[in-house]
Amino acid sequence: MARLADKKKPQRIQTYAESVETDPAHHLVGPFGPQTPLGGGSAPPSPPGAPKRFLKNGNAADAPWSTQSRGFWQDLTSLRWVVVPSSSLKILLLVVVLWANWEILAPYVSKDLPNPFTPLLFISHYIPSSSPDDPRYQKGYLDLVFVAYHIVLWSFVRQSITIYICRPIARYFGIKKAAKLDRFGEQAYAVIYFAVMGAWGVRTMSKLPTWWYDTKYFWIDYPHWQMKPELKRYYLMQAAYWCQQLIVLLLGLEKPRKDYYELVAHHFVTLWLVGWSYLVNMTLIGNAVYLSMDIPDAFLGLSKLLNYLQWEKAKTVVFTVFIGIWSYFRHWLNWVILYSVWNEFDLVPESAKRWSPEDGVWLVWWMRYQIFAPLLALQGLNLFWYFFIWRIAYRAITDVTLDDERSDDEDDGEDEVDEKED
């Protein structure tokens, strides 16, 4: 009996970790759900308006989520470049070539003529009065052009990593089913993205007066419209990432999931928070919120990766560390931010406590509540997920069996299509 119990024990964390993303009663939906369209895999019935599937009776390449190109022009006009890395790469290179040609030829035509492709590749709206040794940038309409180009960049990076790097790794470690190949790629990309952006967020904050949540500087010297170049670039790259995620969902370019509507709502809310904080010159508090979200997500993705690889000891250790990381970043630091909004808002200079967009000031008295409410709602979601994280940990310890309602049997019949698409 003891030996039998020992054999069962390594399977516990795997079962509970899988339940995080598949059990409708307690899975972590929203930003934690699988989102990358990678060929095969099971999916629940499509929500209204979602694309139909063509796996059994038709050509898999005709499916809306197929990563096979239908020709550059068709991929461009149908927006399938979002999921076809070869087409998104062509768009990226086209802009780079046009920019380079302009740089080479412009001196012979007109030296004073600005390169129209520069705003796509580099941040714009430099403040001429700022010191060259410590340049500053303001927001402007050309920021939208930068975001648009980097939506294409994120599409290429995401699909390239998941298809050409993560899939071969997953197969090397014995993962064969199409759905699990998809999920492995999704989580591997999540680990890379959130780890890089989390590290970048730390680096960005280290150059700001708000370093490690010195929250009074969220408000002192407001408005913070003169941004350091790295802060502006970081913020716009985050905005481009979430726009890319929303495009994939709204156009039905990925296989619909059970939490389809929750994902759409989550992305809309995220973009609203990103856009609004950027508009009203609250980028310092925005950086703090981003950082508190990205780092825990990296550890969550890593624990799922180890679960797919069935590295029992490693995933148990990482899951334990993840709980600590989540507790500190998603709860303690978020409560620190909420406390600051409620109690330190009055540190805003009196001259800035008015609604005057032309002067870059927006913080009238009621903005305290407008800032506090969505952050409190975000903390409510975090507490909701936190409860289920601890429930998973408790059931893993007490060995209460949880079944994955989306069984591996659902993947059968799509493995062949998955192999053909590669």
Side-chain angles (χ1 to χ4, degrees), residues 30-80:
F32 307 132
Q35 300 176 39
T36 304
L38 293 178
S42 63
S46 301
K52 294 182 179 181
R53 308 185 63 174
F54 304 96
L55 290 178
K56 292 184 178 179
N57 299 321
N59 189 345
D62 294 333
W65 55 83
S66 169
T67 57
Q68 293 183 5
S69 175
R70 300 175 186 171
F72 177 68
W73 181 249
Q74 186 173 353
D75 290 344
L76 183 66
T77 55
S78 65
L79 298 182
R80 294 194 70 259

Side-chain angles (χ1 to χ4, degrees), residues 24 26 28-29 31 42 53 77 81 87 122 159 161 182 210 230 318 341 361 375 419:
H26 67 275
L28 302 182
V29 296
S42 63
R53 308 185 63 174
T77 55
W81 51 263
S87 294
F122 308 101
Q159 294 301 89
I161 290 176
D182 290 354
T210 54
E230 188 165 4
V318 170
V341 174
V361 294
L375 290 175
E419 297 297 330

Side-chain angles (χ1 to χ4, degrees), residues 18 21-22 32-38 40-41 158-193 257 298 300-311 315 406 408 411 418:
E18 287 176 353
E21 58 178 306
T22 57
F32 307 132
Q35 300 176 39
T36 304
L38 293 178
R158 177 178 181 171
Q159 294 301 89
S160 297
I161 290 176
T162 52
I163 297 171
Y164 302 119
I165 299 177
C166 297
R167 273 193 159 190
I169 293 175
R171 288 197 177 99
Y172 176 81
F173 284 103
I175 299 175
K176 297 180 180 179
K177 284 191 174 292
K180 295 219 170 169
L181 287 169
D182 290 354
R183 294 170 193 164
F184 183 90
E186 293 155 6
Q187 295 306 321
Y189 175 75
V191 170
I192 295 171
Y193 173 80
R257 303 283 179 173
L300 176 64
L302 180 59
S303 66
K304 289 185 178 182
L305 275 185
L306 295 174
N307 174 61
Y308 293 137
L309 295 176
Q310 298 183 3
W311 292 2
K315 71 185 178 187
R406 196 161 57 192
D408 289 343
D411 302 332
D418 176 67

Side-chain angles (χ1 to χ4, degrees), residues 279-293:
L279 176 67
V280 302
N281 299 316
M282 293 295 295
T283 50
L284 299 188
I285 192 172
N287 167 240
V289 173
Y290 268 138
L291 182 57
S292 70
M293 298 294 161

Side-chain angles (χ1 to χ4, degrees), residues 36-348:
T36 304
L38 293 178
S42 63
S46 301
K52 294 182 179 181
R53 308 185 63 174
F54 304 96
L55 290 178
K56 292 184 178 179
N57 299 321
N59 189 345
D62 294 333
W65 55 83
S66 169
T67 57
Q68 293 183 5
S69 175
R70 300 175 186 171
F72 177 68
W73 181 249
Q74 186 173 353
D75 290 344
L76 183 66
T77 55
S78 65
L79 298 182
R80 294 194 70 259
W81 51 263
V82 176
V83 293
V84 180
S86 60
S87 294
S88 55
L89 177 61
K90 291 175 183 177
I91 298 173
L92 296 172
L93 293 177
L94 177 63
V95 172
V96 172
V97 169
L98 292 172
W99 173 85
N101 285 337
W102 191 282
E103 290 292 309
I104 294 171
L105 299 176
Y108 301 100
V109 179
S110 176
K111 293 183 179 180
D112 298 328
L113 194 63
N115 191 328
F117 302 102
T118 295
L120 283 85
L121 301 173
F122 308 101
I123 56 175
S124 304
H125 303 293
Y126 169 73
I127 300 175
S129 60
S130 63
S131 169
D133 298 329
D134 189 19
R136 291 290 189 273
Y137 289 77
Q138 60 185 344
K139 63 178 182 285
Y141 290 110
L142 288 178
D143 296 342
L144 299 176
V145 177
F146 181 89
V147 169
Y149 180 78
H150 286 80
I151 289 173
V152 183
L153 175 65
W154 282 128
S155 299
F156 170 72
V157 170
R158 177 178 181 171
Q159 294 301 89
S160 297
I161 290 176
T162 52
I163 297 171
Y164 302 119
I165 299 177
C166 297
R167 273 193 159 190
I169 293 175
R171 288 197 177 99
Y172 176 81
F173 284 103
I175 299 175
K176 297 180 180 179
K177 284 191 174 292
K180 295 219 170 169
L181 287 169
D182 290 354
R183 294 170 193 164
F184 183 90
E186 293 155 6
Q187 295 306 321
Y189 175 75
V191 170
I192 295 171
Y193 173 80
F194 289 118
V196 170
M197 296 306 291
W200 193 5
V202 171
R203 173 185 162 86
T204 301
M205 182 183 279
S206 70
K207 299 180 179 181
L208 301 174
T210 54
W211 169 242
W212 215 249
Y213 294 83
D214 192 349
T215 57
K216 61 180 179 292
Y217 289 104
F218 291 161
W219 320 102
I220 294 175
D221 295 331
Y222 177 86
H224 307 119
W225 63 273
Q226 297 187 9
M227 291 175 281
K228 286 181 176 290
E230 188 165 4
L231 174 62
K232 178 168 183 172
R233 191 176 298 109
Y234 168 79
Y235 228 82
L236 295 180
M237 291 291 282
Q238 289 271 22
Y241 169 82
W242 289 107
C243 285
Q244 190 268 346
Q245 296 286 83
L246 186 62
I247 289 173
V248 169
L249 284 176
L250 293 182
L251 297 183
L253 296 177
E254 72 173 1
K255 297 176 207 176
R257 303 283 179 173
K258 190 162 290 188
D259 55 357
Y260 176 84
Y261 295 111
E262 289 87 346
L263 284 171
V264 172
H266 169 266
H267 292 346
F268 269 120
V269 171
T270 300
L271 286 171
W272 181 81
L273 290 172
V274 172
W276 182 249
S277 62
Y278 191 73
L279 176 67
V280 302
N281 299 316
M282 293 295 295
T283 50
L284 299 188
I285 192 172
N287 167 240
V289 173
Y290 268 138
L291 182 57
S292 70
M293 298 294 161
D294 288 348
I295 293 179
D297 282 354
F299 281 87
L300 176 64
L302 180 59
S303 66
K304 289 185 178 182
L305 275 185
L306 295 174
N307 174 61
Y308 293 137
L309 295 176
Q310 298 183 3
W311 292 2
E312 308 299 336
K313 293 182 180 179
K315 71 185 178 187
T316 302
V317 171
V318 170
F319 186 74
T320 303
V321 173
F322 159 70
I323 292 177
I325 295 292
W326 178 284
S327 301
Y328 176 70
F329 281 91
R330 287 288 183 110
H331 298 291
W332 171 252
L333 290 182
N334 271 210
W335 282 112
V336 167
I337 295 171
L338 283 167
Y339 176 88
S340 175
V341 174
W342 194 258
N343 293 285
E344 297 178 336
F345 182 87
D346 291 331
L347 293 176
V348 173

